[in-house]
Amino acid sequence: MSTEEERFLADYSPAEYSSVALTVDLVVFAVTGSTLHAALVRRGGHPFRGALALPGGFVQPDEDALHAAWRELEEETGLDLRAHRAHVEQLATYSSPERDPRMRVVSVAHLALLATDGRTLPDLDPGSDAASAHWHPVHEVLASEDLAFDHRDILADAVERLAGKIEYTLTAAKLVPEEFALYQLRHVYEAVWNTDKLDAGNFTRKLTGALTDTGRKITRSKGAPAAVFTVRNEYLSPPMTRPAAVTNR
Amino acid sequence: MSTEEERFLADYSPAEYSSVALTVDLVVFAVTGSTLHAALVRRGGHPFRGALALPGGFVQPDEDALHAAWRELEEETGLDLRAHRAHVEQLATYSSPERDPRMRVVSVAHLALLATDGRTLPDLDPGSDAASAHWHPVHEVLASEDLAFDHRDILADAVERLAGKIEYTLTAAKLVPEEFALYQLRHVYEAVWNTDKLDAGNFTRKLTGALTDTGRKITRSKGAPAAVFTVRNEYLSPPMTRPAAVTNR
DNA sequence: CGAATAGTGTCTGTGAGACAATATATG
DNA sequence: CATATATTGTCTCACAGACACTATTCG
């Protein structure tokens, strides 16, 4: 132990000081259609063999947790982050002494949002090892699947965080290309809130105030062409209101 | 290193694994009048000698961060938690490798709310050592004082978290006795939002829906007696709206 | 043309905010 | 009585939600 550390410990009384292994766990979300998906890993080894788990890894000595989250996002999913718009933010820290039966591991969970066009999910490194990540529909997983460690809690917390945050911010736009039509954004809201009751007309009216119209239009298979927008204002005022229906609080 | 740990590390590739010291930092809030106060410690030693800092301490091997926060709340402030209603929740984790110049310390910051009657602040162990905590007005400290480490960021994040949270929950009631009058709750909102523009009549109307009237009344120095309420519903729907004025975002 | 979709118009109910009015306490 | 305060009443404006309507595209 260095003298610096000894002086440090002298600051504290009593000096019970122990070290922990610090990891990040990632909740990686992407949307197709009106379904929210998460990138999950099937565990090959003990403990929780065969169960689904969140991707993650150690925080290194020279980086903070957010940096580790970005690095692991690239390493564990095999994503080319130059080709995909991505957003990462801290979720919460899980520190129960028993959360990993092997040793003390404290994990700073992060929320990662990947932009999609709403039709296909980003490729998750098909060539990597057996423990590579695959997309799973979130609300179905939460309803039926067993998850390793405390990853069910983390995943549920992540969904709730995102569901709440898109009420008063345009965080939903992180799940959609930089330029997007309103139906894409609407599908994100439906996917996160697990509902289909969003009136397209009212949705348009409520959101256009926070967006910039590029003047361009795009067309789907059928129907009138939709205007293409970019985000003007990160905050929504007044906020969107989540339908009371499917909300599981 | 135990065999368990070795097997554990084999899960990861590459196995760069390092340990960190894990601490909790506490943002302890209480309200008198319409002013939000935080319990802060004046640092005696290097680094940041003389600067104000948040109370905190190490997470011990057998406890999680929340438990450590409760323990440190009692130890560092000398508060008798049997005599004071208190609420503690996790805020965020601060993990920059340079946040403590002496060694790698990762801190899970927590928000602690102490109930007061709005007239006096809880006593902060007057008999303890020189580094004992004292109350400071939060918005003044943020405007003028230097804080040690990254504690200014943590304190500002805590205020913003609380300011946002009382918009859609009755978390403000954690800063007030279990049974309270509406003016007490209104003062909490004014203190946290750093404003005085809350109309008493409208405030009453908006909140009574989430409260239970005990039927009893209390009287201040002058004026009509105020009804005494308890919390019925933890969530506010529709939410309170924060006045645009003083909000510093 | 028929089907699907985008965006606008319209109506109604709810609630926020401003402020007046009333009731009730103290000194 | 003068003053302070709590609570209710009233009015207006803004907006959410429901839904009809129009315009525009594809097949």
Side-chain angles (χ1 to χ4, degrees), chain B:
Chain B
M1 188 179 285
S2 73
T3 12
E4 270 295 14
E5 284 183 49
E6 281 165 31
R7 257 201 283 160
F8 176 52
L9 296 179
D11 270 13
Y12 292 81
S13 58
E16 287 104 359
Y17 155 58
S18 75
S19 62
V20 305
L22 190 69
T23 64
V24 290
D25 282 324
L26 289 174
V27 180
V28 187
F29 283 149
V31 171
T32 43
S34 291
T35 306
L36 182 66
H37 292 262
L40 298 174
V41 167
R42 184 74 66 180
R43 280 187 63 78
H46 155 87
F48 299 102
R49 172 190 290 272
L52 287 175
L54 299 172
F58 288 112
V59 177
Q60 295 183 358
D62 58 344
E63 65 180 2
D64 64 12
L66 185 63
H67 184 277
W70 276 102
R71 184 177 48 71
E72 291 291 340
L73 177 62
E74 189 158 28
E75 291 176 11
E76 290 256 325
T77 64
L79 276 168
D80 181 2
L81 291 180
R82 293 180 305 264
H84 287 279
R85 243 164 50 95
H87 166 87
V88 179
E89 66 178 50
Q90 190 185 117
L91 185 59
T93 297
Y94 296 80
S95 61
S96 160
E98 290 89 27
R99 62 183 296 277
D100 190 313
R102 294 164 296 184
M103 62 180 291
R104 175 116 206 209
V105 181
V106 169
S107 181
V108 186
H110 285 73
L111 183 63
L113 307 179
L114 299 182
T116 73
D117 61 5
R119 285 180 287 116
T120 54
L121 294 166
D123 282 342
L124 293 178
D125 190 7
S128 131
D129 54 344
S132 68
H134 294 276
W135 293 111
H136 297 261
V138 171
H139 292 285
E140 284 180 30
V141 167
L142 284 177
S144 60
E145 282 268 3
D146 281 335
L147 293 184
F149 308 106
D150 50 4
H151 290 187
R152 161 179 297 279
D153 296 335
I154 301 178
L155 182 58
D157 289 350
V159 173
E160 180 54 32
R161 162 78 70 95
L162 183 58
K165 197 160 185 178
I166 63 178
E167 290 185 39
Y168 60 96
T169 69
L170 267 176
T171 304
K174 307 289 187 188
L175 286 161
V176 128
E178 185 133 13
E179 304 193 326
F180 55 88
L182 284 175
Y183 68 85
Q184 296 179 291
L185 202 57
R186 203 175 64 237
H187 287 331
V188 170
Y189 275 89
E190 291 170 346
V192 175
W193 287 346
N194 196 24
T195 183
D196 57 355
K197 302 210 301 184
L198 298 186
D199 181 282
N202 293 334
F203 187 86
T204 298
R205 216 185 339 251
K206 279 195 279 190
L207 283 188
T208 40
L211 303 177
T212 303
D213 194 331
T214 63
R216 271 168 290 130
K217 303 253 178 193
I218 61 167
T219 307
R220 287 207 268 179
S221 57
K222 282 194 167 185
V228 176
F229 295 91
T230 57
V231 173
R232 181 215 302 274
N233 210 330
E234 203 56 45
Y235 286 87
L236 288 175
S237 64
M240 288 281 295
T241 44
R242 173 158 36 154
V246 198
T247 311
N248 37 9
R249 186 170 267 156

Side-chain angles (χ1 to χ4, degrees), chain A residues 181-210:
Chain A
L182 282 175
Y183 69 84
Q184 295 179 292
L185 202 56
R186 202 175 63 239
H187 288 330
V188 170
Y189 275 89
E190 290 169 347
V192 175
W193 287 346
N194 197 25
T195 183
D196 57 355
K197 302 210 301 184
L198 297 185
D199 181 283
N202 293 334
F203 187 86
T204 297
R205 215 186 338 252
K206 279 194 278 190
L207 282 187
T208 41

